[in-house]
Amino acid sequence: MKISILKSYLNESIQHVSKAISSRTTIPILTGIKFDVNYQGVTLTASDTDISIQSFIPLEEDGKTIVSVEQAGSVVLPAKFFVEIIKKLPSQEVHMEVKDNFNTFISAGATEIQLVGLDPEEFPILPSIEENQTLSIPGDLLKNMIKQTVFSISTHETTPILTGVLWSLADNEFKFVATDRHRLATRSAHIEGADEIKFHNIVISGKTLNELSKIIPDQNSLVDIVVADNQVLFKIDRVLFYTRILDGTYPDTSRIIPSSYKTELVLETKKLSESIDRAYLLSREEKTNIVRMQTLDNGDIEISSSSSELGKVREELQVKDFKGEPLKISFNSKYMLDVLKVVESEELMISFTGVMSPIILKPTDNSSSQYVILPYRTTN
């Protein structure tokens, strides 16, 4: 293998695939990035067995030469060092040559590096996925759906299925659900042209979805999604992102959200967020995160919290709309702030069926997302 390649393209591909490399792996070959060079271009691959990412660099783009191939071949290079060194090379063109025993020589400008490569034959083969049905979704919509649900996953490996986000697709409605048993986030979107595609109980690790989100470009390009028996493949420009579907059955969350409410409030999202953030400062010191909310006689609400060492905070917040019975409730302010960070609507409806019933939060301008937080039982 002997090539010359533009550093910017090589570095971008390395950054993409390196998201699949785990420092905890016990398989030496998986600490590396596999290079495959042929006369169509360069393919980089990395895997940690749960996710695999492949990135392709073409020989040229828009008439500009990106890669010059003198000799085709393959090698696996140690990722930890390789990722860092390519970023720091002094010139815009990088020369790479693999010699006997996979010793790899890299040069750029006056810099020369020798790396001990590994045998590419030992690298695992990527999953084989039948692409019978492909769902195409705008990249910015997919990123948004991930952001608005993934924060509600469980971080406890004791229930692995809850460390993921549940995906379902039926009748053109694509839906995400995430819960850690204390809170729940749902987000759905109508996808045109998905009439023939249906799936349910597809659960993808939240950590994986966060890594996927980093690869999806900000511009509104399409992401193709292929769902197979135990794998999902995402196609993003010249990147292929494979992930394993989590084993197990996701709990039925459909009964958590009530169909009618005793109390409904509409508040300004920004003001509510700022108020709870101030109250959180004290509740955090108490290591409980408990903040109290109660309706007042004038129709507004009071937000308060206290710390046995620091004192109390209390403030009144104007309500845009109020229906139903007076209410006094306590909740985890950290959970509430997590929701408020991802809500894009200027106003938010908060609904209750009673003191110890779930708190339902719904943006007023977008019925496709909904959030549930379980309240705390407190003595005062």
Side-chain angles (χ1 to χ4, degrees):
M1 174 185 138
K2 190 175 182 182
I3 62 167
S4 297
I5 184 168
L6 293 182
K7 179 179 122 177
S8 58
Y9 284 82
L10 177 58
N11 187 51
E12 183 183 23
S13 276
I14 289 169
Q15 296 305 317
H16 287 331
V17 301
S18 63
K19 291 174 173 56
I21 292 166
S22 169
S23 56
R24 299 195 304 264
T25 184
T26 55
I27 307 166
I29 198 79
L30 293 184
T31 62
I33 294 173
K34 184 185 179 190
F35 276 73
D36 287 302
V37 174
N38 59 31
Y39 294 99
Q40 280 75 51
V42 178
T43 302
L44 278 64
T45 309
S47 177
D48 69 355
T49 67
D50 283 336
I51 65 171
S52 301
I53 305 174
Q54 191 169 77
S55 178
F56 177 71
I57 307 169
L59 295 183
E60 61 175 55
E61 185 177 61
D62 299 329
K64 178 172 74 171
T65 299
I66 301 166
V67 186
S68 299
V69 179
E70 199 171 315
Q71 185 181 347
S74 300
V75 69
V76 176
L77 296 175
K80 189 175 179 183
F81 181 75
F82 189 70
V83 168
E84 291 302 317
I85 198 64
I86 293 300
K87 281 193 286 190
K88 296 175 180 178
L89 288 176
S91 74
Q92 288 309 304
E93 190 169 44
V94 179
H95 305 281
M96 297 177 64
E97 184 176 2
V98 179
K99 295 188 176 178
D100 294 342
N101 298 318
F102 303 106
N103 282 317
T104 303
F105 296 83
I106 301 167
S107 62
T111 304
E112 292 184 356
I113 299 150
Q114 181 182 345
L115 284 181
V116 177
L118 298 169
D119 185 351
E121 293 295 319
E122 294 178 17
F123 202 85
I125 298 167
L126 287 181
S128 177
I129 291 183
E130 288 186 22
E131 298 183 26
N132 297 329
Q133 295 180 319
T134 301
L135 172 69
S136 293
I137 179 171
D140 57 347
L141 173 60
L142 180 57
K143 281 178 88 159
N144 217 350
M145 291 180 76
I146 292 169
K147 182 182 82 170
Q148 292 180 339
T149 52
V150 76
F151 65 87
S152 285
I153 62 163
S154 173
T155 54
H156 300 295
E157 295 293 337
T158 48
T159 318
I161 198 75
L162 294 184
T163 64
V165 177
L166 173 69
W167 288 22
S168 60
L169 176 63
D171 302 323
N172 288 345
E173 187 185 43
F174 193 27
K175 187 174 183 181
F176 287 17
V177 177
T179 184
D180 62 2
R181 297 194 193 279
H182 302 288
R183 55 180 168 174
L184 173 110
T186 70
R187 172 73 159 91
S188 57
H190 183 80
I191 308 294
E192 289 293 342
D195 313 59
E196 302 299 316
I197 308 173
K198 288 185 180 180
F199 52 75
H200 66 281
N201 204 47
I202 301 296
V203 185
I204 301 174
S205 158
K207 182 182 168 212
T208 295
L209 291 174
N210 278 327
E211 295 301 339
L212 172 70
S213 195
K214 293 172 190 172
I215 291 176
I216 299 170
D218 290 329
Q219 65 267 31
N220 195 11
S221 54
L222 284 176
V223 176
D224 290 338
I225 304 172
V226 184
V227 177
D229 290 340
N230 63 347
Q231 293 276 340
V232 179
L233 166 62
F234 300 90
K235 295 180 169 184
I236 309 154
D237 294 337
R238 291 192 291 264
V239 175
L240 302 180
F241 188 112
Y242 297 81
T243 179
R244 184 176 64 83
I245 295 170
L246 295 183
D247 295 326
T249 302
Y250 205 84
D252 181 8
T253 59
S254 60
R255 296 177 194 170
I256 294 174
I257 300 172
S259 55
S260 61
Y261 307 102
K262 290 181 179 176
T263 307
E264 291 183 339
L265 308 167
V266 176
L267 298 143
E268 283 186 49
T269 307
K270 187 170 184 286
K271 287 184 178 176
L272 177 63
S273 179
E274 290 169 349
S275 177
I276 291 176
D277 202 18
R278 286 187 284 270
Y280 167 64
L281 292 175
L282 259 72
S283 64
R284 183 183 63 189
E285 292 300 315
E286 201 70 2
K287 296 187 168 52
T288 61
N289 293 339
I290 292 176
V291 165
R292 294 169 183 82
M293 178 192 290
Q294 67 176 358
T295 50
L296 301 172
D297 293 339
N298 64 0
D300 290 340
I301 61 164
E302 178 187 284
I303 305 283
S304 64
S305 71
S306 60
S307 162
S308 53
E309 292 184 9
L310 294 176
K312 296 179 180 179
V313 62
R314 174 195 170 278
E315 62 181 276
E316 289 186 24
L317 202 59
Q318 194 173 8
V319 172
K320 289 277 187 176
D321 191 26
F322 172 76
K323 291 179 198 165
E325 303 173 4
L327 194 85
K328 183 176 183 181
I329 203 160
S330 301
F331 54 86
N332 185 320
S333 54
K334 174 74 168 58
Y335 289 173
M336 185 71 81
L337 288 170
D338 284 345
V339 171
L340 295 171
K341 281 175 195 168
V342 301
V343 168
E344 294 172 351
S345 168
E346 288 185 7
E347 294 180 352
L348 185 73
M349 177 177 280
I350 306 180
S351 308
F352 312 89
T353 56
V355 175
M356 287 313 297
S357 298
I359 303 165
I360 313 297
L361 300 103
K362 200 171 184 179
T364 56
D365 67 349
N366 182 5
S367 60
S368 60
S369 63
Q370 203 161 344
Y371 305 94
V372 180
I373 298 171
L374 295 182
Y376 278 132
R377 187 182 296 278
T378 56
T379 52
N380 54 357

